[in-house]
Amino acid sequence: MATCSGGGVRRRRWSILALDAAQPFDKEGQALDVFERRGRLKIAIIGFGKFGQFLAKTFGRQGHTLLAHSRSDYSAAAASLGAAFFSDPHDLCEQHPDVVLLSTSILSTAPVLRALPIQRLRRNTLFADVLSVKEFPKSLFLKHLPPHFDVLCTHPMFGPESGKDGWEGLPLVFEKVRIGDTGERAERCQRFLDIFHHEGCRMVEMSCAEHDANAAESQFLTHTVGRLLAKLDLKTTPVNTKGYEALLKLVEITCSDSFELYNGLFMYNKNSTELLERLDLAFDSLKKELFGKLHDVVRKQLFESSP
């Protein structure tokens, strides 16, 4: 207060110049909260085994709502990851997820997809998969899903072992097979891909056919060599070289995956058969080269050492 010259009291008017804390009428803060909520997805993971749980851990940490379904009872694992587990797929579909993600084994994908009550889903639901082969699920989706469903084929080329310390720099291959032309559907597809982008994945957009051609060499060959070495029952030695330790590690990594996965890589990638034939030819060629050199040495010893 201040005193007037006439003895009266003059009241000053105070005004708020700044607010340090967000207030209930903070329009900017409310808009940001709406934006963050819109960025979250409701994701239904079909097949909640080892790989499904591996993905769910990151999805949940990013704030997405998780639903899970599997033939086995993974309700305890789902609860520990903040996911709601549904033993009945009808109940799951009635939750109207934004994304239905197939994380089943390759061999069981077709019967699982056919058993889903897709009539209970919203008509424009996004279907995606994380299978290690790509042409097979693409053709399966296009055959069994009505055209009003969106389709995105993806392959995170890493797993619980290689991605346990983070996804930075690891490749995520994807093809936008069928995405509706409305802005909302395109945005939803991008939000799903952004899950991997935000984790630092190397995003590789590639056709499913091109993926399978490349994966036959980069993945199926790796698994074949690892399982072949496993049959030799290799042991560590007191004189391990770095190369030998790399071979032991290859056996450990490839054999930690199920044989069902390896079999699926062979059965559902048409490039795998050709690769096995090339591997046979290469091994035969190498043996001929070795035995040919041995034959030359023996002949030299026989004839050059004789009197």
Side-chain angles (χ1 to χ4, degrees):
M1 286 184 294
T3 305
C4 298
S5 57
V9 176
R10 184 178 66 211
R11 297 183 180 275
R12 289 180 179 172
R13 293 183 178 179
W14 300 93
S15 61
I16 298 174
L17 299 180
L19 284 172
D20 292 332
Q23 301 297 314
F25 49 81
D26 181 6
K27 300 295 185 183
E28 183 179 351
Q30 290 178 353
L32 179 62
D33 185 53
V34 170
F35 175 79
E36 289 180 347
R37 286 201 305 271
R38 287 183 60 194
R40 298 175 189 142
L41 293 167
K42 185 186 289 186
I43 304 172
I45 302 176
I46 309 299
F48 205 63
K50 185 178 180 181
F51 195 75
Q53 293 173 36
F54 166 68
L55 294 174
K57 184 177 180 180
T58 296
F59 293 176
R61 180 169 49 78
Q62 288 192 12
H64 300 286
T65 301
L66 300 179
L67 316 173
H69 166 70
S70 208
R71 289 175 296 181
S72 302
D73 183 6
Y74 288 116
S75 53
S80 70
L81 294 167
F85 185 81
F86 297 86
S87 56
D88 190 328
H90 288 261
D91 295 335
L92 179 140
C93 290
E94 287 175 353
Q95 299 300 311
H96 293 160
D98 301 304
V99 181
V100 174
L101 179 66
L102 266 63
S103 181
T104 60
S105 70
I106 300 172
L107 302 181
S108 62
T109 301
V112 168
L113 180 62
R114 285 195 292 263
L116 279 179
I118 59 175
Q119 72 278 4
R120 297 185 182 275
L121 295 166
R122 286 199 301 260
R123 286 174 52 84
N124 69 346
T125 303
L126 172 62
F127 272 78
D129 80 286
V130 288
L131 270 64
S132 299
V133 293
K134 294 272 61 78
E135 284 196 281
F136 168 63
K138 176 181 177 178
S139 63
L140 203 62
F141 281 148
L142 295 178
K143 179 180 179 181
H144 291 287
L145 295 178
H148 50 75
F149 286 115
D150 288 345
V151 175
L152 172 69
C153 287
T154 78
H155 180 199
M157 299 194 71
F158 52 89
E161 181 62 30
S162 55
K164 64 183 178 182
D165 297 321
W167 299 358
E168 183 74 33
L170 300 175
L172 184 281
V173 180
F174 66 95
E175 180 185 352
K176 297 176 182 178
V177 176
R178 186 176 67 200
I179 305 298
D181 55 6
T182 65
E184 181 182 351
R185 292 167 75 170
E187 180 189 0
R188 177 183 58 192
C189 175
Q190 189 57 50
R191 275 186 282 158
F192 181 75
L193 291 173
D194 282 345
I195 295 174
F196 299 90
H197 177 72
H198 291 330
E199 294 299 316
C201 286
R202 179 163 55 88
M203 309 297 287
V204 183
E205 188 166 6
M206 178 185 294
S207 72
C208 291
E210 189 179 359
H211 166 276
D212 283 1
N214 290 321
E217 296 187 354
S218 67
Q219 190 174 27
F220 178 69
L221 179 61
T222 301
H223 278 260
T224 298
V225 172
R227 290 188 174 274
L228 184 62
L229 293 173
K231 292 187 177 298
L232 298 177
D233 195 23
L234 301 177
K235 306 293 185 184
T236 188
T237 74
V239 289
N240 283 4
T241 63
K242 291 293 184 181
Y244 185 70
E245 288 180 354
L247 292 180
L248 293 176
K249 187 65 176 177
L250 177 62
V251 172
E252 178 187 347
I253 292 173
T254 54
C255 292
S256 66
D257 291 321
S258 66
F259 187 82
E260 187 179 26
L261 169 63
Y262 177 58
N263 192 27
L265 293 175
F266 172 69
M267 288 186 62
Y268 293 98
N269 187 342
K270 62 184 181 182
N271 303 280
S272 298
T273 302
E274 180 193 350
L275 184 61
L276 278 182
E277 292 172 351
R278 287 167 53 200
L279 190 61
D280 276 341
L281 290 173
F283 190 50
D284 285 341
S285 175
L286 186 60
K287 286 194 298 182
K288 288 177 182 177
E289 187 176 353
L290 286 173
F291 286 119
K293 293 291 185 182
L294 178 62
H295 180 70
D296 291 342
V297 170
V298 171
R299 285 179 62 86
K300 188 175 182 180
Q301 289 176 344
L302 284 174
F303 292 100
E304 292 189 3
S305 62
S306 60

